[in-house]
Amino acid sequence: MLKLNNIYRKRLREQDGVEIWLVDGAAVRRELFVDFVMGGHDGRYKFIPAGEIWIDNSLSLEDLEYTIAHEIHERERMVNAGLDYSTAHDEAVDIEHKMRLADRKAAEEKELETEAVELGTYLYYGKEGED
């Protein structure tokens, strides 16, 4: 047994009755489990307290919501539906992939509808200036 020390960084939110925490991923790998990557939950890892999902703080902001969705789905399917890790993980990967594709499509559509922008200038208190 090991008392957690300097692992938690920020409580992100509670969702579906589970607390989601940003944790020091390097410390988790160093102190608890060398293969901790991106995130995890209490249904998969014994070192994560009950009712928690941990998200690695080295994760890019772009990957944050996808990883949270992945961990929430995977945990729900393992803890509440009794699925094994491999099956629950595959389902979570599929959901994550669909989210990424939908967001990429939305970003592409936004860029298509956005008019060209002017380079190298800015507005300073309502006046045009140059960088």
Side-chain angles (χ1 to χ4, degrees), residues 25-92:
V28 172
R29 286 184 287 282
R30 184 177 57 250
E31 304 294 332
L32 301 171
F33 186 66
V34 70
D35 290 329
F36 180 78
V37 178
M38 296 182 87
H41 53 82
D42 59 324
R44 174 71 173 150
Y45 300 112
K46 291 181 180 181
F47 58 85
I48 297 179
E52 290 186 12
I53 289 173
W54 286 6
I55 303 298
D56 188 334
N57 68 343
S58 67
L59 193 68
S60 74
L61 181 59
E62 189 171 359
D63 289 326
L64 180 64
E65 291 303 321
Y66 307 126
T67 302
I68 290 172
H70 175 111
E71 297 300 335
I72 286 173
H73 181 83
E74 185 180 275
R75 180 188 183 277
E76 191 283 324
R77 299 297 284 158
M78 290 179 71
V79 172
N80 298 326
L83 267 63
D84 62 281
Y85 168 73
S86 182
T87 303
H89 179 74
D90 288 347
E91 287 183 7

Side-chain angles (χ1 to χ4, degrees), residues 89-104:
H89 179 74
D90 288 347
E91 287 183 7
V93 167
D94 186 50
I95 287 169
E96 182 181 342
H97 182 68
K98 288 176 182 172
M99 288 175 65
R100 289 176 184 275
L101 290 176
D103 286 349
R104 182 66 241 156

Side-chain angles (χ1 to χ4, degrees), residues 10-23:
K10 179 179 182 359
R11 183 179 185 271
L12 297 176
R13 64 180 181 255
E14 184 175 321
Q15 186 172 333
D16 299 336
V18 179
E19 285 191 59
I20 302 169
W21 283 91
L22 192 66
V23 297

